[in-house]
Amino acid sequence: MTDFFSVVGKQRACRSFTDEPVTDTLVEQLLEAATHAPSAENTQPWVFVVVRDPETRARIGGITAAAWAGVGSEFSRPRLAAGLFADVERGATGGVSEAPVLVVVAADTTNCVEAALAASIFPAIQNLLLAANAAGLGSALTTLPTFAGDLSAILDLPGHIRPIAVVPIGHPAGPLGPPRRVPVAEKTHRERFGDRW
Amino acid sequence: MTDFFSVVGKQRACRSFTDEPVTDTLVEQLLEAATHAPSAENTQPWVFVVVRDPETRARIGGITAAAWAGVGSEFSRPRLAAGLFADVERGATGGVSEAPVLVVVAADTTNCVEAALAASIFPAIQNLLLAANAAGLGSALTTLPTFAGDLSAILDLPGHIRPIAVVPIGHPAGPLGPPRRVPVAEKTHRERFGDRW
């Protein structure tokens, strides 16, 4: 038994992994959770590519690092606290791709209208992340490698299969610490915007 | 203790509710779960408007029904099995807005770049839905009312606060039944697209 609220309350992005393997059975259990997310009209437009091959992971790591050097780093540096920036940078320059499993989550654009695509993919990704945490593993939602055009070429994705996120899965290299969140009351309004909770 | 994998495995959209109330304490617990979702750069761009007022719910129900009559119905009829279509139609024409609580989830567009907005909002919505289920409540991810321009006017949302979804929360009027999903193996590839799991 892994308590639902405990799993949700402890979610943190993990961007550094040990090389301890993750079995196919476990990967399948996590994907089973992912596929139980809702989607518009129950179209289930998700497509998963499970990458273990070190060479393919290194190529994905390479395009991630290039995207980070080209745009991400400059964009994020003034926006993030030093500690978070350093963690994201470690992840983007090798940490993420060193996870023993990379799940590339993509969307079949022929199976879902554009306006409903995000609503039909990100819940599945969130299930995948939570399930990894519930299983004692680390994971993270990374989209940087999807902005590099080469990801489709690396994975032989046809044009109608759009990569949405790369989710590294593995055993965390270190403790993740508690999440930092703005309190609910500051994000919530009653009946209409402006009347605070 | 509510087992994580059991909660995830049973998620179904609920579109018909009893009028049994849901307390503020419980709503806050569900929103607490929502705010523990990941977001790009931990920007937490979510904004929640908790609507209980029957008149406001009726107005949201009205624009939902209008959007259904105007576009949704014609679009969905040929795409959905008869049973699901009937359920969606009941929801869009009154079922959803009869939930005692409607949580309108919006995004602060000044707090997150456009390219990262969906990745930073839908995980929180999925947490909200799962948390409702974990608490024994019904919920659903509905976006139809956000396509009607009037939602912002009803809730006094400023221009930079973009409504993303309306999530009804309440006690299900009836049993929800098991989810129907395509098996993981049919959605999953090894190393590259085309090599089936």
Side-chain angles (χ1 to χ4, degrees):
Chain A
M1 291 279 284
T2 48
D3 182 58
F4 171 80
F5 286 100
S6 163
V7 170
V8 164
K10 285 187 200 140
Q11 185 176 10
R12 276 295 298 270
C14 178
R15 301 185 184 89
S16 186
F17 301 87
T18 72
D19 55 8
E20 191 180 338
V22 177
T23 66
D24 265 11
T25 307
L26 191 45
V27 169
E28 209 169 314
Q29 186 187 4
L30 307 183
L31 293 176
E32 185 75 27
T35 63
H36 277 74
S39 57
E41 300 182 317
N42 200 21
T43 44
Q44 307 170 55
W46 40 72
V47 173
F48 306 105
V49 183
V50 177
V51 177
R52 294 180 178 278
D53 179 53
E55 194 184 315
T56 308
R57 287 192 285 121
R59 291 180 70 189
I60 295 173
I63 62 170
T64 307
W68 178 252
V71 182
S73 170
E74 197 175 334
F75 178 77
S76 291
R77 192 183 301 272
R79 300 163 55 94
L80 297 184
L84 180 54
F85 180 83
D87 189 46
V88 170
E89 178 153 69
R90 266 194 307 273
T93 55
V96 163
S97 58
E98 280 167 9
V101 173
L102 298 180
V103 178
V104 179
V105 185
D108 184 340
T109 59
T110 62
N111 189 18
C112 189
V113 294
E114 189 65 33
L117 202 64
S120 304
I121 285 290
F122 285 107
I125 295 172
Q126 174 63 354
N127 271 13
L128 178 61
L129 299 170
L130 288 172
N133 289 182
L137 299 169
S139 70
L141 199 178
T142 76
T143 57
L144 193 58
T146 69
F147 296 122
D150 296 343
L151 187 57
S152 294
I154 292 172
L155 301 173
D156 291 343
L157 299 182
H160 67 287
I161 305 292
R162 188 189 307 164
I164 305 290
V166 174
V167 176
I169 291 173
H171 293 265
L176 295 174
R180 292 158 297 111
R181 291 295 186 275
V182 177
V184 166
E186 290 179 34
K187 293 288 192 178
T188 308
H189 305 249
R190 279 188 195 277
E191 305 300 347
R192 57 188 50 74
F193 189 88
D195 292 354
R196 288 287 177 179
W197 181 256
Chain B
M1 290 280 283
T2 47
D3 182 57
F4 171 81
F5 286 100
S6 163
V7 170
V8 164
K10 285 187 198 140
Q11 185 176 9
R12 276 295 297 269
C14 178
R15 302 185 183 90
S16 186
F17 301 87
T18 72
D19 54 8
E20 189 179 338
V22 176
T23 66
D24 265 11
T25 307
L26 191 44
V27 169
E28 210 170 312
Q29 188 187 4
L30 307 184
L31 293 177
E32 186 76 26
T35 62
H36 277 73
S39 56
E41 300 183 318
N42 199 23
T43 44
Q44 308 170 54
W46 38 75
V47 173
F48 306 104
V49 183
V50 177
V51 177
R52 294 179 178 279
D53 179 52
E55 194 182 315
T56 309
R57 286 191 285 122
R59 290 179 70 190
I60 294 173
I63 62 169
T64 307
W68 178 252
V71 182
S73 170
E74 196 174 335
F75 178 76
S76 289
R77 193 183 300 272
R79 300 163 55 94
L80 298 184
L84 180 55
F85 180 83
D87 188 48
V88 170
E89 179 153 68
R90 268 195 306 274
T93 56
V96 163
S97 57
E98 280 166 8
V101 173
L102 298 180
V103 178
V104 180
V105 184
D108 184 341
T109 59
T110 63
N111 189 18
C112 189
V113 293
E114 189 66 33
L117 203 64
S120 303
I121 286 289
F122 285 107
I125 296 172
Q126 173 64 355
N127 271 13
L128 178 61
L129 300 170
L130 288 172
N133 290 182
L137 299 169
S139 71
L141 199 179
T142 77
T143 57
L144 193 58
T146 69
F147 296 122
D150 295 345
L151 186 59
S152 293
I154 292 172
L155 301 173
D156 291 343
L157 299 182
H160 66 289
I161 304 293
R162 187 188 307 165
I164 305 290
V166 175
V167 176
I169 290 173
H171 293 265
L176 295 174
R180 293 157 297 112
R181 290 295 185 278
V182 176
V184 166
E186 291 178 34
K187 294 287 192 179
T188 307
H189 305 248
R190 279 189 193 275
E191 305 299 345
R192 57 189 50 74
F193 188 88
D195 292 352
R196 290 284 178 179
W197 180 257

